Amino acid sequence: MQQIWIQKAGPPEVLKVQDGPDPIPRSGEVRIRVEAAGVNFADILGRLGIYPDAPRLPYVPGYEVSGKIDLLGQGVPDFREGDAVSALTRFGGYSNVVCVPYRQVYKRLDWMSAQDGAAIPLTYLTVYMMLVVMGSVRAGDKVLIHGAAGGVGLAALDLCRILGAETFGTASPEKHDFLLSQGLSHAIDYRNQDYERAVMNLTGGKGVHVVLDPLGGVHWPKNYRLLMPSGRLIHFGASSLATGKRRSLWSVFRGMVMLPFYTPLKLMNDNKAVIGVNLGHMWEQAEMMRPWMKQIIAWYDEALFRPKIDRTFSFAEAAAAHHYMQDRKNIGKVLLLP
Ligand SMILES: NC(=O)c1ccc[n+]([C@@H]2O[C@H](COP(=O)([O-])OP(=O)(O)OC[C@H]3O[C@@H](n4cnc5c(N)ncnc54)[C@H](OP(=O)(O)O)[C@@H]3O)[C@@H](O)[C@H]2O)c1
């Protein structure tokens, strides 16, 4: 087996490929020969040493893979050796062989490529939970998507298009043409203009129904202000704390002192809802997520969306993959191929 380890907190070069014996699936697990593994921003935060959910270093990051089952543990129903699957991995996805509880594994459609299979699980389930399950987005709702050109951002745009929502997306300006071609209603250059003012101008001062906030820090109060009455603010990340290729404790501290404090009274009087989503804490709820994934796969089957895969990197190029995302070059998903 080959795995990519985060040896210690630091720049992308701390990612190292190591060989080891193939793991044996435990009871209730399947073993997957990985064909593609998704790279997520959480992996970068983990590498920087500022991801609270990460195990103790050193560890193998990675939240999603696709591949073929090559060995079944005891007591695994419904799956067979040779099945093409996608899976959620709570770490360990940067591997060419991984064992996963079968409840976190989903059969791939015959016509779903391995790369699409690796780009969907964490990304689209997170977005489904935010927009459909908790955000109750309906046709005509106005939704602000930060990082609209990223893996999660483009998935949010896909689901908003399916749901019939009007979309406001922040992204670096060179990504706007692509976003508009994908159906984004309003592209906002947040790097050269204040997005709060831009959204208010575009909505005649009314704000939006839903904000997806992966940024955190100074953005928490800004995004709350952007909600119209009945609006839902969904916190799901803190990428603004990643200010460079190495950890900055000052940035983390500055971000944390911006933590907003929403009292029940304030929420009542403002008629606003604040929601938190962390798919990494849903592993025990695999049965709850199964129908969500079924709907996502049905939409894929109907060709209502395809994940946008920007670039693939070999395992040996894992550091380059992290540089690529942190340099804000990606439009869509970045994958590692064993
Ligand atoms: N809570 C959950 O369950 C969950 C699940 C998945 C992802 N997330 C969160 O969702 C967000 C997006 O994740 P992703 O994996 O799809 O990543 P991604 O958006 O593809 O990440 C890279 C992009 O983020 C933007 N960006 C914003 N701030 C950045 C910074 N400080 N450094 C570098 N790039 C920055 C850049 O786009 P622009 O140039 O256009 O700004 C960059 O191209 C992250 O905050 C992640 O932690 C949360």
Side-chain angles (χ1 to χ4, degrees):
M1 149 172 86
Q2 273 203 330
Q3 296 178 305
I4 301 167
W5 288 77
I6 300 176
Q7 301 283 3
K8 56 182 180 182
E13 287 65 32
V14 299
L15 296 167
K16 294 280 183 243
V17 180
Q18 281 181 18
D19 292 322
D22 282 356
I24 305 296
R26 289 180 299 201
S27 175
E29 288 185 342
V30 303
R31 188 170 77 183
I32 299 171
R33 287 270 151 202
V34 174
E35 290 166 271
V39 178
N40 287 285
F41 208 83
D43 311 338
I44 289 169
L45 297 177
R47 198 204 74 231
L48 289 169
I50 57 171
Y51 187 52
D53 283 354
R56 279 166 71 103
L57 291 163
Y59 77 97
V60 178
Y63 267 123
E64 55 190 352
V65 298
S66 74
K68 292 215 172 70
I69 293 181
D70 80 338
L71 197 58
L72 297 172
Q74 296 280 320
V76 173
D78 306 331
F79 289 101
R80 290 200 192 144
E81 286 171 19
D83 279 349
V85 292
S86 298
L88 290 165
T89 51
R90 184 148 166 75
F91 309 109
Y94 285 21
S95 307
N96 68 351
V97 188
V98 67
C99 292
V100 187
Y102 77 89
R103 291 175 198 281
Q104 293 162 216
V105 179
Y106 307 96
K107 278 187 192 155
R108 280 193 344 245
L109 296 167
D110 290 343
W111 48 95
M112 184 187 283
S113 68
Q115 294 194 11
D116 281 2
I120 287 176
L122 183 84
T123 313
Y124 281 82
L125 278 170
T126 303
V127 167
Y128 189 92
M129 184 171 177
M130 293 195 292
L131 293 177
V132 179
V133 180
M134 299 188 76
S136 305
V137 169
R138 288 174 284 264
D141 278 359
K142 295 177 168 47
V143 179
L144 171 59
I145 305 168
H146 288 291
V152 169
L154 280 173
L157 184 55
D158 281 341
L159 264 57
C160 280
R161 205 180 46 240
I162 292 169
L163 297 167
E166 182 180 346
T167 41
F168 301 71
T170 67
S172 295
E174 62 275 13
K175 303 175 182 177
H176 287 196
D177 284 348
F178 177 78
L179 285 167
L180 294 169
S181 78
Q182 296 303 295
L184 181 72
S185 320
H186 311 278
I188 297 166
D189 174 8
Y190 76 107
R191 301 190 70 183
N192 296 303
Q193 75 187 118
D194 176 32
Y195 67 79
E196 185 179 356
R197 189 170 309 154
V199 172
M200 281 306 186
N201 285 342
L202 287 164
T203 58
K206 291 196 171 111
V208 295
H209 296 89
V210 173
V211 180
L212 304 184
D213 179 7
L215 306 169
V218 294
H219 303 276
W220 278 318
K222 273 169 89 82
N223 285 319
Y224 184 82
R225 288 197 295 269
L226 276 171
L227 292 181
M228 65 171 72
S230 85
R232 289 84 75 194
L233 168 57
I234 306 182
H235 296 301
F236 73 109
S239 50
S240 68
L241 305 188
T243 47
K245 301 271 169 80
R246 289 175 189 272
R247 171 171 63 183
S248 158
L249 289 175
W250 166 243
S251 304
V252 174
F253 171 76
R254 205 182 42 181
M256 293 328 267
V257 295
M258 296 301 296
L259 264 179
F261 184 57
Y262 309 110
T263 62
L265 211 56
K266 178 161 178 56
L267 292 171
M268 271 194 281
N269 291 342
D270 290 350
N271 284 299
K272 295 181 179 182
V274 177
I275 294 167
V277 165
N278 185 347
L279 208 81
H281 290 203
M282 288 293 289
W283 264 234
E284 301 304 317
Q285 315 298 332
E287 291 312 315
M288 188 189 288
M289 292 196 286
R290 198 157 280 282
W292 307 350
M293 192 58 153
K294 197 170 164 202
Q295 177 62 74
I296 292 165
I297 292 174
W299 283 331
Y300 181 97
D301 195 17
E302 290 171 57
L304 292 180
F305 81 92
R306 289 287 180 268
K308 162 90 168 80
I309 292 151
D310 179 343
R311 254 189 89 169
T312 61
F313 292 84
S314 70
F315 272 22
E317 298 167 325
H322 276 215
H323 275 296
Y324 188 71
M325 275 179 82
Q326 275 201 280
D327 291 340
R328 301 169 188 263
K329 289 186 178 152
N330 65 305
I331 299 183
K333 287 294 284 189
V334 173
L335 301 179
L336 292 167
L337 305 185

